[in-house]
């Protein structure tokens, strides 16, 4: 969680009930109470960025339909609409196939670019993802399988002499 706002699975609604009662719920439609989170973070980010107008911002594409990723995506869209330098990353593991994202954005004015990664950068991503213990077991079964999946995914984007890469998206 960030700024005392818990992850979706731990949020409680105004009436005291779980906003998302189980793992399946976090991949469904966003709860109406979550709209205030979008507005809250958009306001906080805008205030912070008043001193960093040229900063490049990264948000998940939300293609896996995880509600927190969709919240972040919506914040990114709002900032991008006001000419902030916003880029969206493919939120692995929800985009396990590199072909799904271009299909989703084919009818829009989106474009992508790939960035080469070193094995140390891949390992840093793996180390960071290991902090989400419940997701590691739910999505991969084990840390070892998660590591293999991250490496395989990064190799799919590699070309020429680059061993690993990652793809980012934006629009005009």
């Amino acid at each position: 969680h960030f700024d005392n706002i818990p992850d979706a699975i731990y949020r409680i609604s105004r009436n005291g009930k779980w906003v998302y009662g189980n793992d399946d719920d976090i991949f469904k439609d966003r709860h109406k109470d979550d709209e205030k989170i979008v507005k809250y973070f958009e306001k906080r980010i805008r205030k912070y960025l008043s001193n960093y107008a040229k900063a490049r911002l990264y948000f998940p594409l939300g293609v896996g339909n995880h509600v927190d990723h969709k919240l972040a995506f919506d914040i990114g869209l709002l900032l991008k609409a006001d000419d902030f330098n916003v880029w969206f990353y493919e939120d692995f593991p929800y985009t396990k196939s590199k072909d799904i994202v271009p299909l989703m954005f084919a009818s829009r004015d989106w474009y992508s670019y790939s960035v080469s990664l070193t094995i140390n950068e891949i390992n840093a991503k793996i180390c960071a993802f290991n902090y989400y213990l419940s997701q590691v077991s739910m999505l991969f079964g084990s840390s070892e399988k998660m590591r293999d999946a991250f490496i395989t995914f990064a190799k799919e984007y590699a070309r020429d002499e680059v061993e690993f890469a990652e793809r980012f998206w934006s629009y005009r």
Side-chain angles (χ1 to χ4, degrees):
H1 69 270
F2 182 75
D3 211 17
N4 292 324
I5 296 177
D7 294 343
I9 200 72
Y10 302 112
R11 285 200 286 276
I12 297 174
S13 69
R14 292 179 221 161
N15 64 9
K17 295 183 179 179
W18 293 109
V19 173
Y20 303 100
N22 59 55
D23 289 344
D24 291 338
D25 288 348
I26 64 173
F27 295 99
K28 294 180 180 171
D29 291 336
R30 196 166 71 204
H31 192 275
K32 64 182 180 335
D33 287 352
D34 281 350
E35 192 55 37
K36 65 183 177 197
I37 296 172
V38 171
K39 291 176 183 170
Y40 172 79
F41 278 112
E42 178 199 8
K43 184 178 177 180
R44 294 273 329 260
I45 292 168
R46 283 180 189 279
K47 182 178 178 183
Y48 178 78
L49 289 176
S50 64
N51 297 321
Y52 304 98
K54 296 188 188 263
R56 181 177 279 191
L57 308 172
Y58 293 93
F59 293 87
L61 274 171
V63 296
N65 289 325
H66 188 291
V67 293
D68 283 340
H69 291 218
K70 291 190 299 187
L71 287 170
F73 177 75
D74 287 347
I75 295 165
L77 286 178
L78 290 168
L79 295 169
K80 177 70 177 164
D82 283 341
D83 291 326
F84 283 92
N85 186 8
V86 175
W87 287 86
F88 298 90
Y89 62 89
E90 297 184 20
D91 33 352
F92 181 80
Y94 307 114
T95 54
K96 288 183 182 174
S97 168
K98 71 176 187 169
D99 300 325
I100 191 161
V101 176
L103 293 173
M104 294 179 72
F105 293 98
S107 64
R108 302 177 187 181
D109 199 16
W110 289 77
Y111 59 95
S112 68
Y113 79 97
S114 293
V115 174
S116 63
L117 300 171
T118 65
I119 190 62
N120 289 340
E121 291 167 324
I122 297 292
N123 284 334
K125 290 171 78 71
I126 292 166
C127 182
F129 200 89
N130 261 317
Y131 282 99
Y132 297 95
L133 295 175
S134 63
Q135 292 187 25
V136 169
S137 60
M138 177 180 76
L139 296 168
F140 301 102
S142 70
S143 290
E144 294 78 22
K145 289 179 182 176
M146 185 263 299
R147 177 180 170 70
D148 292 344
F150 264 84
I151 289 172
T152 299
F153 186 73
K155 284 183 175 183
E156 284 187 35
Y157 290 101
R159 57 182 191 267
D160 301 327
E161 295 182 20
V162 173
E163 187 174 5
F164 307 107
E166 183 172 15
R167 188 166 56 187
F168 297 94
W169 292 82
S170 196
Y171 64 89
R172 292 170 182 66

